[in-house]
Amino acid sequence: MSVVLIVAIVLPLIAGSALIAFPVDDRRARYAGVAVTGAVLGLTVVLAGAFDRDDARTMQFETDRAWASSLGLRFHLGVDGISLPLIVLTALLTFLVAVHSLGKLPDGGSARAYVALVLVLEAGVLGTFAALDLILFFLAFEVVLVPMYFLIARWGTPGERGPAAFKFILYTLLGSALMLLGFLLVQAHTGTFDITELAARGGDGMSRGVQITAFLAIGLGLAVKVPMWPLHTWLPDAHTAAPTGGSVLLAGVLLKMGTYGLVRIAVPALPQGAEEFAPYLGAFGAVGIVYGSLVCLALLRSPDGDLKRIIAYSSVGHMGFALLGIATLTAQGINGALFVNIGHGLITGLLFFLAGAVKERSGTALLGRIGGSLYARAPRLGGLLAFAAVAGLGLPGLAGFWGELLAMYGAYHPADELSRGLFLVLLVAAALGTVLTAAYMLGIVRAVCGGPGLAASGTSETDDVGPMAEGAPLVRVDPLPDVGRVDVVAWAPLVAFTVVLGLWPATLLAVTDPAVRALLGGGA
Amino acid sequence: MNPVPPTGGSVLAAAHGPLSLVQDIDWAAIAPPLAVASAALVVLLADLFLSGPRKVWLAWLSLAGLATALGLLLPLRGGGRATFCAPADPATGGPPACSYVVSDLTLVLQLVLIGSAAVVVLLSMPMTAPRPWADESGSDRAVPGGEYHFLLLASVAGAVTLAAARDLVTLVVALETLSLPAFALVGLRRDARGGEAALKYFLLSVAATAVLLFGVSLLYGATGAVHLDRIAAALTTLDPKLDTVAATGAGLVLVGFAFKVAAVPFHFWLPDTYRGAPVPVAAYLSVVSKTAGFAGLLLVAGIGLRPYAHVWGPALAVLAALTMTVGNVVAVRVATGSGDAVRLLAWSSIAQSGYVLVPFGTAAGDGADLADRLPASVAYLAVYAVMNLGAFAVVATVGRDRPTGVVGDYRGLVRVRPWLALAMAFFLLCLAGLPPGLMGLFAKVAVFQSVVAGGTGWLAVVMAVNVVVALYYYLVWTALLFQPPVPGPPPVAGDGEAAGTLGSGGTLRVPAPFAVAIGLAFGLGVVLSVAPQIVLRVLTVPGLLG
């Protein structure tokens, strides 16, 4: 079965490279994209089916071969309960993005190039989640940079895409360069790049000082990706400028690479470093939760508030919960973080799809110009947006709820080494954040979906508010195209999984929990 | 005692006893540089008998000479050969010292040097033999083919010898054999720009040679030896009163080599020289000449001056940090300013020199673990040769039909020549060290590994920041390749009216030799990206530095 894992990673890489190198006409390229991502999704489902749930704590489907032995680089792949859900999520979201690309793509380049970049991106993300060698992890981490840069720079919103794409790649590269230094420092003291081996040793062979330095370097690199406040500033620009598919992948899977790296590498391999920095991680996470929601509220009140930017800032808040969960260094907290990852991937992926649909249909993502009244103009779209927003605020019964609950539960009883008082304060801040989150998520619904569907003629397009606007008769706002066939295919799985994971969280927790406990056990 | 068993010159050797100055020569060991030098002479003679279109044979002869030299490396694979040996020192009873040693290090460097030179010859073909490649408009401003290939091969012979030299005199002579023809190559086109470039290069190079020679004389005065291993032995047991003299000599020798590799602040000649020289010559200087310079630095610092690692280690660390920072910052300014392609590559190659210098900077106090650090430089040099030659090859190709030579010329290249654009993107991303340019990334990881293991944390952080800064201009260039052509002036300002017209109807010819050169570099790059162990093996070869 380990072949299946390799194929799932290498297939999109080869297909993407082939699409870049050889001229294929655009229509075929789109279908090839759907076929390849569909095949990868099928392979990951096969993996999930063959995965031994009773033994989720150990690595399965392992491959371990020397690649560049002089560097100590090994081609070491494997899947356990922590990475399996993320791998399936990645395959699912990429497939949905490929399906979505059957519809209209923004101008910027050929659909062939778009599909090719998405495929290479998928290979990089899957490789990151399956890599069990530090350098291989780093390589896969870097693979996503160039495709995502081009997705933003070529298909993004004209005017803002260039700087946003540069900001994205320069920030992330600075982070990953630091991360590489941390990896090399670990190797210099332990003699191995093997992630499972390092987790099993739990920091043996590294003095406290080395662990702290290495954790600082690795943690900073990953924190840029998470993104952790105050290193998040690349994210709103990149999300706002990116095309719909790019935003979905960026929020849905790329951000997860940061928290995944913390759980997989930094915390288990460097327990003393983790202990030292956990309060900071938690505090920055909590600040991110509150800060993200405050920015969203401010954007909501501003006429220039951009729907995609609000969702981007909501990601800062949600990933703050993941950081807080990891910072507790408890099984509950880390399980919560992983649950936040999956829930956020599903819900924010859906939100970005919907925001993209609104932007495409009304021609703008600015709240002041969308015109509101989505319930009246495109009832199904409005209903879905309301659903996604409610899921995003963490309503019990939907996927967003459990992760935040577990993270906060972890903060109530943090690991013994950590100061409980501090984490109680963070808990209160996070709780405040959930209230604020609910406020802005409902605010989005009111601003975009609400409204009578009637407006004074001319006000729905603020560009040409003429002298006639005063006292003009009320007219129906133009209806918008509602959910189409491609949209149903692209969005229905996200809605379904949001509900399923909300109602039966155990389907996910049963897989992650043993692996998390194994990691913490190895680290304690 | 003559260490080589007397065979050929045995009569004389026996007659003169142990004081004999006549010794056997291991011809197989010196065959590669000999082949290159002979080819140079053959080319010079053949030039007299070839005329018109048949001048193209000069290039084929050069290639044949280099191919022979490559073939002659094969029998030397085992390494461990030496010739031109001085007998064992009667005073100390130490082992004999040899001037010409074929070790694993020598072979790797010679392979890189000769292979790169062959690619440069390919790139020079349309320039030195206008027909059948040049068009009526004469975009290949002709240079005299016979002289050009003779000078090129003579210079390569010096470089190849340098990689095997193990005493200071041979090193200096080889370095001059490398440099003197290079001055002429830069100015061979005989236009104002080339003349200025050649003069600048010549004057600064001569000054550097003077400094180098002064350093050599001080080292000789302090240690009484010219062989690198004997200098190392003498330095460990040096009279403390001579310490200052030896340290000064060491410093001056390293400055001489720092000039060759264009380490900041000895880099001022480089951008103007590259810009004024024909593009293939710039490629030659940036790869072959630089690799030879680093070979000298490796040998002198890594073998001869190893006991003084505590002196030159920190100095080279600072030099490395300066070199990459200045190179990258100015390259960013070029990218946002004039956008001159060759100038951009020139500054980028200065920055890349900084990365090669980084492992030198990690030299520990006693130099004990130098042998574990410096091989990262060798690996980086080998990879750098492939990616930089590839980039220069594309620049030479595009430069023929777009004489403005600005980065804006590359806008929309993918529409006109998809494979050329993909190859260029690959080379640039290799230089930046980002996937899919895994080759460059592995080389950078090797350098990072040496510096982190060496414990010079600050240098690692400086290099990490530099890698990010460098990404900016490599990425600007890469992005241009894929941008749709727009009518009107390109965003990267150029001084020419032809800039930016590439995608909108302009054709772009790729002469066959250029296509072969680019294909070779691209193919090798892909192979090394998938199987990096081929190059990275040098990291773990035991005793690479002797």
Side-chain angles (χ1 to χ4, degrees):
Chain A
M1 286 305 283
S2 55
V3 181
V4 177
L5 181 61
I6 297 176
V7 172
I9 296 169
V10 174
L11 180 68
L13 192 64
I14 292 175
S17 315
L19 279 180
I20 289 173
F22 300 105
V24 181
D25 79 67
D26 276 2
R27 206 174 59 86
R28 277 194 198 148
R30 291 177 193 217
Y31 283 108
V34 174
V36 172
T37 51
V40 172
L41 178 61
L43 291 173
T44 56
V45 169
V46 168
L47 282 180
F51 187 80
D52 184 357
R53 265 152 237 275
D54 299 331
D55 198 15
R57 55 183 297 140
T58 56
M59 283 296 161
Q60 303 183 23
F61 319 124
E62 267 193 85
T63 309
D64 191 6
R65 294 247 164 78
W67 187 0
S69 50
S70 292
L71 279 183
L73 165 62
R74 298 187 68 79
F75 188 78
H76 189 181
L77 298 175
V79 175
D80 71 352
I82 294 175
S83 46
L84 183 72
L86 287 166
I87 286 178
V88 177
L89 175 73
T90 305
L92 175 69
L93 278 176
T94 322
F95 173 66
L96 300 183
V97 166
V99 169
H100 179 258
S101 76
L102 291 176
K104 188 171 168 292
L105 281 181
D107 293 336
S110 65
R112 167 169 75 102
Y114 182 91
V115 171
L117 292 174
V118 168
L119 287 175
V120 175
L121 192 79
E122 177 177 32
V125 179
L126 288 176
T128 307
F129 291 144
L132 293 178
D133 181 281
L134 289 178
I135 297 295
L136 192 65
F137 177 88
F138 168 76
L139 276 188
F141 203 82
E142 300 273 89
V143 164
V144 301
L145 292 185
V146 171
M148 188 42 98
Y149 167 83
F150 276 108
L151 280 180
I152 299 174
R154 296 295 303 284
W155 287 271
T157 316
E160 45 190 294
R161 57 193 178 191
F166 259 114
K167 208 169 177 182
F168 159 76
I169 198 167
L170 293 179
Y171 262 72
T172 323
L173 187 71
L174 185 60
S176 54
L178 278 180
M179 182 176 81
L180 174 66
L181 293 186
F183 288 169
L184 292 171
L185 186 64
V186 169
Q187 191 254 358
H189 286 88
T190 60
T192 180
F193 282 126
D194 191 296
I195 292 175
T196 45
E197 169 77 29
L198 285 168
R201 286 192 203 173
D204 279 356
M206 285 178 280
S207 67
R208 187 178 170 81
V210 169
Q211 287 200 34
I212 287 176
T213 315
F215 192 93
L216 186 65
I218 298 174
L220 270 179
L222 294 167
V224 171
K225 195 81 168 186
V226 168
M228 178 181 83
W229 184 90
L231 303 173
H232 67 282
T233 53
W234 61 271
L235 178 127
D237 291 349
H239 270 102
T240 313
T244 304
S247 298
V248 171
L249 290 177
L250 199 51
V253 294
L254 260 67
L255 301 189
K256 292 1 178 229
M257 291 159 60
T259 40
Y260 173 78
L262 285 173
V263 174
R264 168 67 71 209
I265 299 166
V267 170
L270 303 161
Q272 293 186 38
E275 196 184 300
E276 180 74 24
F277 285 106
Y280 300 95
L281 275 185
F284 283 128
V287 170
I289 297 170
V290 175
Y291 171 85
S293 36
L294 286 178
V295 172
C296 287
L297 281 172
L299 283 172
L300 202 58
R301 298 169 68 90
S302 137
D304 292 335
D306 186 305
L307 183 55
K308 291 181 79 174
R309 188 172 281 269
I310 293 180
I311 302 173
Y313 272 107
S314 83
S315 292
V316 176
H318 283 126
M319 296 323 281
F321 278 104
L323 280 176
L324 179 62
I326 294 170
T328 64
L329 302 180
T330 58
Q332 288 82 10
I334 294 180
N335 273 317
L338 293 170
F339 211 112
V340 168
N341 270 351
I342 302 293
H344 178 257
L346 294 169
I347 297 167
T348 308
L350 182 60
L351 271 172
F352 271 117
F353 267 131
L354 296 169
V358 168
K359 185 174 181 179
E360 190 186 294
R361 285 162 168 78
S362 63
T364 178
L366 297 184
L367 287 178
R369 297 199 179 189
I370 292 173
S373 320
L374 208 59
Y375 283 147
R377 298 157 77 193
R380 293 200 192 96
L381 190 60
L384 268 178
L385 187 61
F387 169 81
V390 168
L393 67 81
L395 190 76
L398 296 174
F401 171 70
W402 298 105
E404 296 179 9
L405 182 77
L406 278 170
M408 293 199 282
Y409 180 69
Y412 187 65
H413 279 298
D416 296 337
E417 313 86 84
L418 301 172
S419 144
R420 185 156 183 233
L422 171 72
F423 273 85
L424 287 179
V425 173
L426 299 180
L427 175 61
V428 171
L432 176 67
T434 57
V435 176
L436 295 174
T437 306
Y440 74 76
M441 281 292 182
L442 294 175
I444 293 178
V445 175
R446 205 185 61 169
V448 179
C449 302
L454 298 171
S457 63
T459 49
S460 64
E461 290 174 23
T462 46
D463 288 333
D464 48 351
V465 179
M468 292 292 289
E470 292 289 331
L474 289 178
V475 295
R476 285 192 68 84
V477 180
D478 295 336
L480 295 173
D482 212 335
V483 179
R485 255 190 313 174
V486 169
D487 299 333
V488 171
V489 179
W491 301 342
L494 295 177
V495 175
F497 277 109
T498 305
V499 174
V500 168
L501 286 186
L503 293 179
W504 292 283
T507 46
L508 182 58
L509 288 174
V511 179
T512 58
D513 189 51
V516 167
R517 286 181 192 278
L519 276 189
L520 286 178
Chain B
M1 291 292 278
N2 193 333
V4 182
T7 48
S10 58
V11 180
L12 277 173
H16 290 81
L19 289 176
S20 166
L21 295 175
V22 179
Q23 53 179 318
D24 277 330
I25 294 171
D26 184 351
W27 291 101
I30 60 165
L34 266 190
V36 178
S38 321
L41 293 176
V42 170
V43 166
L44 192 60
L45 284 177
D47 185 37
L48 302 175
F49 302 101
L50 296 171
S51 61
R54 288 197 293 171
K55 291 264 191 207
V56 73
W57 281 98
L58 297 172
W60 293 120
L61 281 174
S62 299
L63 277 183
L66 292 171
T68 313
L70 274 183
L72 289 171
L73 286 180
L74 274 181
L76 304 176
R77 263 172 312 169
R81 305 176 81 129
T83 188
F84 300 118
C85 297
D89 195 339
T92 62
C98 297
S99 298
Y100 190 101
V101 174
V102 182
S103 63
D104 289 322
L105 177 66
T106 312
L107 289 173
V108 172
L109 290 170
Q110 287 184 338
L111 182 68
V112 172
L113 290 167
I114 300 175
S116 309
V119 174
V120 171
V121 171
L122 282 173
L123 292 182
S124 317
M125 284 174 90
M127 181 174 73
T128 53
R131 275 168 288 178
W133 292 293
D135 59 3
E136 312 75 47
S137 66
S139 62
D140 297 305
R141 273 174 290 172
V143 298
E147 286 92 326
Y148 180 90
H149 285 292
F150 165 71
L151 290 169
L152 188 67
L153 288 179
S155 180
V156 174
V160 174
T161 312
L162 196 151
R166 291 297 184 277
D167 77 62
L168 287 175
V169 179
T170 314
L171 270 174
V172 171
V173 171
L175 194 63
E176 286 313 294
T177 314
L178 161 74
S179 303
L180 284 172
F183 307 142
L185 282 175
V186 170
L188 206 58
R189 211 158 49 186
R190 299 209 184 94
D191 54 3
R193 219 173 191 179
E196 186 198 328
L199 188 67
K200 197 174 234 177
Y201 183 31
F202 173 73
L203 288 178
L204 286 171
S205 199
V206 166
T209 305
V211 171
L212 176 65
L213 279 174
F214 188 44
V216 168
S217 65
L218 288 183
L219 271 183
Y220 179 67
T223 62
V226 289
H227 289 94
L228 294 176
D229 39 6
R230 287 194 178 163
I231 290 177
L235 284 179
T236 48
T237 57
L238 194 68
D239 181 352
K241 278 182 268 180
L242 287 174
D243 194 52
T244 316
V245 179
T248 312
L252 293 177
V253 169
L254 294 181
V255 165
F257 281 107
F259 173 87
K260 271 288 143 201
V261 303
V264 173
F266 310 105
H267 66 289
F268 291 104
W269 58 276
L270 188 140
D272 289 341
T273 304
Y274 282 17
R275 188 67 188 88
V279 176
V281 175
Y284 177 80
L285 292 178
S286 80
V287 174
V288 179
S289 172
K290 178 175 287 186
T291 304
F294 271 113
L297 200 57
L298 269 171
L299 296 172
V300 172
I303 299 176
L305 301 178
R306 186 180 290 197
Y308 273 36
H310 61 285
V311 178
W312 55 258
L316 286 185
V318 173
L319 222 56
L322 269 180
T323 305
M324 54 194 172
T325 309
V326 170
N328 279 323
V329 168
V330 180
V332 167
R333 292 197 49 177
V334 172
T336 54
S338 72
D340 187 295
V342 173
R343 213 171 267 280
L344 187 53
L345 277 188
W347 286 104
S348 119
S349 87
I350 291 178
Q352 301 274 342
S353 286
Y355 304 146
V356 184
L357 274 174
V358 163
F360 289 88
T362 67
D366 55 355
D369 52 358
L370 261 187
D372 297 336
R373 309 279 166 266
L374 292 187
S377 289
V378 181
Y380 200 94
L381 276 174
V383 169
Y384 166 79
V386 177
M387 56 198 186
N388 210 44
L389 273 179
F392 264 106
V394 178
V395 168
T397 311
V398 174
R400 287 178 80 237
D401 285 337
R402 304 286 180 276
T404 44
V406 296
V407 177
D409 293 341
Y410 294 76
R411 174 178 273 265
L413 184 64
V414 74
R415 309 279 169 103
V416 188
R417 292 276 173 191
W419 282 99
L420 193 65
L422 287 180
M424 188 62 179
F426 179 73
F427 297 136
L428 288 173
L429 290 176
C430 277
L431 286 167
L434 264 192
L438 289 184
M439 165 177 73
L441 185 115
F442 285 129
K444 287 202 170 68
V445 170
V447 170
F448 272 125
Q449 199 170 27
S450 87
V451 66
V452 170
T456 324
W458 68 270
L459 192 55
V461 174
V462 169
M463 179 168 163
V465 172
N466 265 287
V467 169
V468 178
V469 173
L471 176 71
Y472 175 78
Y473 56 87
Y474 291 127
L475 202 60
V476 163
W477 200 343
T478 310
L480 270 176
L481 298 168
F482 298 101
Q483 269 175 24
V486 286
V492 178
D495 54 344
E497 61 289 341
T501 57
L502 214 154
S504 48
T507 58
L508 186 72
R509 295 158 306 154
V510 184
F514 284 15
V516 172
I518 295 167
L520 271 179
F522 186 62
L524 200 55
V526 171
V527 168
L528 292 184
S529 293
V530 177
Q533 183 63 14
I534 297 173
V535 167
L536 296 178
R537 187 170 288 138
V538 300
L539 296 178
T540 41
V541 168
L544 188 72
L545 282 163

